[in-house]
Each structure stands twice: as structure tokens, then as C-alpha cells.
């Protein structure tokens, strides 16, 4: 007897396709980029764009994982342009959402006569964020979302001190700058900054192994104790579950749990900054999801708008109600709050992440990418570590010195810089991170394919041979 199996239709892969890099010009940057550099030098403040031997190229078009520059060179973007373009560049769903919404209304009256799309987005955020996070304050940039969280925590606890972590990056507005760790960002403004932040060591399993959580928690406890009788007693703890610009530092799940328990015991507000790690970047919708911890406030931005500047701070009703009810003028708001175009784009982004299961894709392709990089690590001692989660990957270039009991990692900053410049010449766009600028930060669009990853690893191999 013959059995016939029902024909199973293969699910159509509707992800936008990218192409491998193609460099047409003899040098990078090409002639048109060099000409634009001259104009930029005249008309942009010199502090803004780094101009070096092979930097910058001027980007003209974005499509899926590709950028094309003004000279017609095609690149693979392994950065998602600062972790933003998670769906790739100019995703058709985003274009459609922009077309539809812009035909109706581009800008509304945020906190006075709100728009419908803002409500839909706030509701969607409450559905996809963990636990009881269900009330949102919208804004435009990540730094604003962080500052909203800092203010909300003060409203709730009436305490003005905040513990952040060494290596932390939360943005550069005056409030966010205060809780950002890097001294060079703060130095010229120190006299203007309020002094309400304290820094504890981020748990580093590479140095402290399974004692990392203990070491950091001890410091957190001691800071809270010391600050008790100061001008700024601690009211909140702010953490990136995975530090992005700090060098792709992954906090152990038991650390997030310990922080949660400590905050509950001390009545502190726990703020998770998921501006970089949110929306599937790390293989789950939010990086904190894996720990099972529910923060009191969560900061969102970057990937949420797929390229449109929109951000949010979402919190529990209990904490958000500490603001009280508006009596006319909201004491915390902004002109573009809950912008309808941004809200429509964010809704489209979330729908696409869910429908295309991009969080799973991020996890699987991230694992694949890291596995391939580990093979390079075996060949090249310059690679001191490969880490990350999902498609948020750090490849550390350091020299390791072994002491009697400890290991010391000396950043190979110059080699990281040369690696990134060479990669650009091969058509791969990368960024560095970490205080020593020695972590090659890899955060491609979540739609990247295995073929594109393998191509990049092949190029990395070629470059590493020459360093
Ligand atoms: C974790 C984190 N928080 C906040 C910010 C600040 O975001 P924005 O540059 O949009 O102000 C960043 C930016 O890189 C970030 O990585």
C-alpha cells in the first residue's frame, strides 16, 4: 500500500535580500567622498566627524544589510548603523508604514491632543515588555528615555542618587551624561554636572569568574550605605543588561536577579537601559527577559524605530503614578512626544520582528557568527575574547599577561583601529567599542544571512593575517 504525505508548502522567506560588498574605487574613501569631506570640514563643527586616512565614506543609499556610498561602493553594514536598523535599511514594511502614515498625519500634538497611533504603540509596548511594565512616556532619543527614567525614579523614591556601572553608556545629554561612565565625555562639563551618580564595577566574569556577581553586589551595597547620609542618597540602580558601547559586556543572569532582590529590599527603583539591547538584538525581545527579572523602568530606543528617532521609557503603573496627574502643563514632556510617524514605524517594526521571528533568527545567527569567530580566535592570539548574545557580538583584541593569580588584558587599540579601516576597504562596515576602543562591535541587521556572515569571517581571516 502506498502512503501519500500531505504536501507541506515551504514558508516563503520574505526577508529582504542583501548583496556581498563590491568596492569599485581604487581607494577608500573614493573621490566624491573626499570632496564631501572638504565641505564637511568647513560647515560642520570639527568635533563631530572623525576624519582620518580612510574615514569617512559618505553613505547615499541603504538597502537590507547594504549601504552604497556616493562613489558607488557597496558595503555590508555589520553595525545596523549604531544598532538601529534591525530590519535592515529601507525595509519595505517600514517604507509602507511611512507612506501610509505620512499621507494622514506626520506630526501631532503629543501631550495635548494625542494621536491614535501613539496609543496603539503604548499598548503594544506594554504587551511585549516583561511583567507589569505598562505605562509609557515617549521621547525621541535614547538619552531622553534614560533621563525620563531618572526623573521618574526621583518622583517615586524622592531620593536623587543613582548607581550606574563602570563602562556604562547612557547618552550625552546632561542627565544621561551624569550616569555615563567615560570621563572624556564628561570632563569639560564636570562643574555643571550635579554629582548624583555613583559607579560600581560591572560584573566581569572574564576577570572574576563565578565571583563576578558577588564582587559587584558588594560594591553596590557599600555605595548605597555610604550615600545614605550624603546630599544624594541612592534611589535607583541603572543597568544595561549587556553593555554596548562599554565593550559588549554581558551581565550574568544571577547579577540581575541579585540587583532585583536588593532593590526590593532597599526600596530602590531598578532601571534597565535596553536602548541598545531591545527589540530582538540579543536573541530575545529584551536582553533582561532571559534572567526572568522585571525592572521597574525600562528605557527603549534605537531599534524600536528602525531608523526613525523614537524612544520610550516604560514603567509599572505603581512607579509611573508617582508623577501624579497632569493639571494642564505636563512637567515632563517634549514637542515630538509620541510622534505619529515614529509610532507607526515602531508598530511596523515590532510586527515584522514578531511575524518573521527575528528574535529566534538573532539567536541562531548570533550563535553561528560567534562559533565562526571562535575558530579565528584559535588561529590568532590577538583575539582575546568573543562574547555577546544574539546578534550583539564583541570580538576583543587584547594582549593577555598572566600574573601569579590574575590575568591582565592590555587593549590592542591600534590593531583594532587598523582592522576596522581594512574591513572598510574590503566593504565591511564595523565600529569599535569599550574604553580601550579595542572591542570590534558586531551588531548587523537581524535579517543578515549565513552566507553574508561567512563572507565577513573570511575577510576577517584575511585581515588578521596581516596585522
Ligand atoms: C545603552 C544606551 N543607552 C542610551 C544611549 C543613548 O542613545 P541616543 O544616542 O539615542 O541618545 C545609547 C546610545 O548608544 C545606548 O547604547
Amino acid at each position: 500500500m502506498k502512503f501519500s504525505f500531505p504536501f507541506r508548502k515551504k514558508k516563503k522567506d520574505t526577508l529582504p535580500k542583501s548583496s556581498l560588498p563590491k568596492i569599485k574605487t581604487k581607494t577608500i574613501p573614493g573621490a566624491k567622498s573626499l570632496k564631501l569631506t572638504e565641505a564637511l570640514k568647513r560647515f560642520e563643527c570639527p568635533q563631530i566627524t572623525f576624519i582620518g586616512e580612510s574615514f569617512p565614506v559618505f553613505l547615499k543609499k541603504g538597502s537590507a544589510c547594504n549601504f552604497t556610498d556616493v562613489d558607488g561602493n557597496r558595503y555590508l553594514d555589520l553595525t545596523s548603523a549604531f544598532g538601529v536598523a534591525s530590519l535592515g535599511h529601507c525595509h519595505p514594511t517600514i517604507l509602507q508604514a511611512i507612506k501610509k502614515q505620512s499621507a494622514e498625519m506626520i506630526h501631532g500634538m503629543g501631550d495635548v491632543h494625542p494621536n491614535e497611533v501613539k496609543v496603539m504603540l503604548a499598548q503594544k509596548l506594554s504587551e511585549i515588555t516583561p511583567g507589569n511594565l505598562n505605562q509609557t512616556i515617549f521621547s525621541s532619543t535614547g538619552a531622553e528615555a534614560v533621563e525620563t527614567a531618572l526623573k521618574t525614579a526621583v518622583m517615586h523614591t524622592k531620593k536623587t542618587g543613582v548607581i550606574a556601572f563602570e563602562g556604562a553608556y547612557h547618552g550625552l545629554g546632561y542627565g544621561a551624561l551624569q550616569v555615563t561612565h567615560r570621563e572624556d565625555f564628561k570632563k569639560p562639563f564636570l562643574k555643571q554636572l550635579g554629582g548624583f551618580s555613583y559607579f560600581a564595577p560591572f560584573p566581569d566574569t572574564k576577570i572574576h569568574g563565578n565571583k563576578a556577581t558577588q564582587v559587584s553586589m558588594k560594591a553596590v551595597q557599600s555605595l548605597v550605605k555610604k550615600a545614605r547620609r550624603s546630599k544624594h542618597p541612592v534611589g535607583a540602580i541603572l543597568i544595561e543588561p549587556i553593555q554596548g558601547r562599554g565593550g559588549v559586556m554581558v551581565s550574568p543572569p544571577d547579577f540581575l536577579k541579585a540587583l532585583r532582590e536588593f532593590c526590593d529590599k532597599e526600596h530602590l527603583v531598578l532601571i534597565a537601559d535596553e536602548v541598545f539591547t531591545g527589540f530582538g538584538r540579543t536573541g530575545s525581545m529584551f536582553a533582561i527577559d532571559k534572567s526572568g527579572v522585571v525592572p521597574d523602568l525600562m528605557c527603549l530606543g534605537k531599534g524600536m524605530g528602525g531608523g526613525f528617532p523614537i524612544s520610550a521609557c516604560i514603567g509599572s503603573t505603581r512607579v509611573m503614578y508617582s508623577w501624579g496627574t497632569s493639571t494642564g502643563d505636563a512637567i515632563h514632556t517634549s514637542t515630538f512626544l509620541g510622534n505619529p510617524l515614529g509610532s507607526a514605524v515602531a508598530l511596523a517594526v515590532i510586527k515584522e520582528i514578531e511575524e518573521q521571528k527575528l528574535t529566534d533568527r538573532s539567536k541562531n545567527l548570533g550563535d553561528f557568527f560567534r562559533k565562526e569567530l571562535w575558530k579565528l580566535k584559535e588561529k590568532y592570539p590577538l583575539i582575546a575574547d568573543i562574547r555577546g548574545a544574539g546578534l550583539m557580538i564583541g570580538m576583543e583584541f587584547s594582549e593577555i599577561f598572566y600574573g601569579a593569580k590574575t590575568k591582565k588584558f592590555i587593549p590592542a587599540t591600534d590593531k583594532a583601529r587598523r582592522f576596522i579601516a581594512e574591513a572598510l576597504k574590503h566593504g565591511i562596515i564595523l565600529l569599535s567599542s569599550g574604553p580601550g576602543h579595542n572591542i570590534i562591535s558586531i551588531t548587523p541587521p537581524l535579517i543578515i544571512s549565513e552566507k553574508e556572515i561567512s563572507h565577513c569571517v573570511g575577510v576577517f581571516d584575511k585581515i588578521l593575517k596581516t596585522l
Side-chain angles (χ1 to χ4, degrees), residues 125-136 260 264 270 292-298 314-320:
L125 290 180
S126 96
E127 281 166 28
I128 62 169
T129 49
N132 58 351
L133 302 184
N134 46 31
Q135 292 206 317
T136 291
R260 180 68 275 176
D264 287 343
L270 180 62
V293 166
V294 179
D296 299 296
L297 293 166
M298 197 184 244
I314 187 163
S316 64
T317 309
R318 188 175 67 93
V319 174
M320 280 297 179

Side-chain angles (χ1 to χ4, degrees), residues 140-158:
S140 306
T141 67
E144 281 178 89
V146 168
E147 290 174 356
T148 305
L150 296 178
K151 280 177 155 186
T152 306
V154 172
M155 295 306 283
H156 189 65
T157 65
K158 308 287 180 266

Side-chain angles (χ1 to χ4, degrees), residues 141-144 146 169-172 240 244-245 273 275-276 302:
T141 67
E144 281 178 89
V146 168
Y169 184 85
H170 299 289
L172 300 182
E240 295 158 85
R245 284 196 76 177
D273 180 350
V275 167
F276 205 149
K302 286 192 188 274

Side-chain angles (χ1 to χ4, degrees), residues 273-342:
D273 180 350
E274 294 255 9
V275 167
F276 205 149
T277 47
F279 299 93
R281 170 59 48 206
T282 69
S284 47
M285 190 55 99
F286 299 100
I288 205 164
D289 292 350
K290 284 173 231 147
S291 68
V293 166
V294 179
D296 299 296
L297 293 166
M298 197 184 244
C299 310
L300 310 171
K302 286 192 188 274
M304 176 173 154
F308 192 96
I310 182 164
S311 63
C313 169
I314 187 163
S316 64
T317 309
R318 188 175 67 93
V319 174
M320 280 297 179
Y321 257 67
S322 311
W323 278 102
T325 308
S326 174
T327 53
D329 274 331
I331 60 169
H332 180 76
T333 184
S334 59
T335 304
F336 298 106
L337 182 148
N339 172 278
L341 194 50

Side-chain angles (χ1 to χ4, degrees), residues 18-21 65-66 75-79 368-369 372-373 376 393 395 419 422-423 426-430 440 442 444-445 448-464:
S18 313
S19 304
L20 293 180
C65 299
N66 296 127
Y75 303 88
L76 257 180
D77 172 19
L78 286 196
T79 73
F368 173 71
F369 211 146
E372 294 300 295
L373 293 175
L376 291 184
I393 301 169
M395 174 162 68
F419 181 84
E422 281 308 308
H426 285 85
I428 296 173
I429 299 186
L430 284 166
I440 309 299
I442 302 171
I448 196 169
S449 67
E450 269 193 22
K451 182 179 162 205
E452 285 139 19
I453 292 173
S454 300
H455 171 84
C456 293
V457 174
V459 172
F460 292 176
D461 194 359
K462 254 192 228 161
I463 301 172
L464 282 160

